[in-house]
Amino acid sequence: MANENSKKKIINRLRTLKGHIAGIEKMVEEGKDCEDILIQIAAVKSSIHKIGTIIVEEHALDCLLREDDDERFDKEKVKKVIKTLINYTK
């Protein structure tokens, strides 16, 4: 997984995301306008995508550029990273 700094950033984004979801729940309970709710849902979707992108990037860097490995890329590691990217973007 990510280094400690990246992990903290991801956790902070996830906590912020929880707050946004709670806000959407409150908007629904209060009968707010559908357009406003959908705007907030779009913002949450964007946040989730950004968090996923950060995690995929960290995974790729961690998997492909480990310091304990030699300089050559391992074909299986590259395939695994590509598969992860494809699954994430579906």
Side-chain angles (χ1 to χ4, degrees):
M1 180 58 196
N3 64 44
E4 285 304 311
N5 188 36
S6 293
K7 192 183 290 188
K8 285 179 184 177
K9 287 180 183 178
I10 291 167
I11 289 170
N12 285 338
R13 285 180 180 268
L14 289 169
R15 288 181 180 151
T16 300
L17 188 59
K18 279 192 225 178
H20 287 295
I21 291 171
I24 292 170
E25 181 180 1
K26 184 177 178 183
M27 291 174 76
V28 171
E29 288 172 347
E30 294 175 354
K32 298 290 183 183
D33 186 61
C34 290
E35 184 178 352
D36 294 335
I37 294 169
L38 291 171
I39 288 169
Q40 291 305 309
I41 289 172
V44 166
K45 285 171 56 176
S46 178
S47 284
I48 289 171
H49 182 73
K50 179 65 176 171
I51 292 166
T53 301
I54 292 168
I55 291 171
V56 167
E57 181 180 1
E58 288 290 330
H59 169 69
L61 290 172
D62 184 54
C63 185
L64 294 176
L65 301 176
R66 286 197 177 125
E67 291 181 17
D68 58 339
D69 291 343
D70 60 17
E71 293 297 316
R72 295 178 295 155
F73 288 107
D74 180 300
K75 187 175 182 178
E76 290 307 310
K77 286 183 182 179
V78 173
K79 284 182 179 179
K80 182 180 175 186
V81 169
I82 290 170
K83 183 177 179 182
T84 301
L85 290 169
I86 290 169
N87 287 335
Y88 176 68
T89 58
K90 286 183 179 179

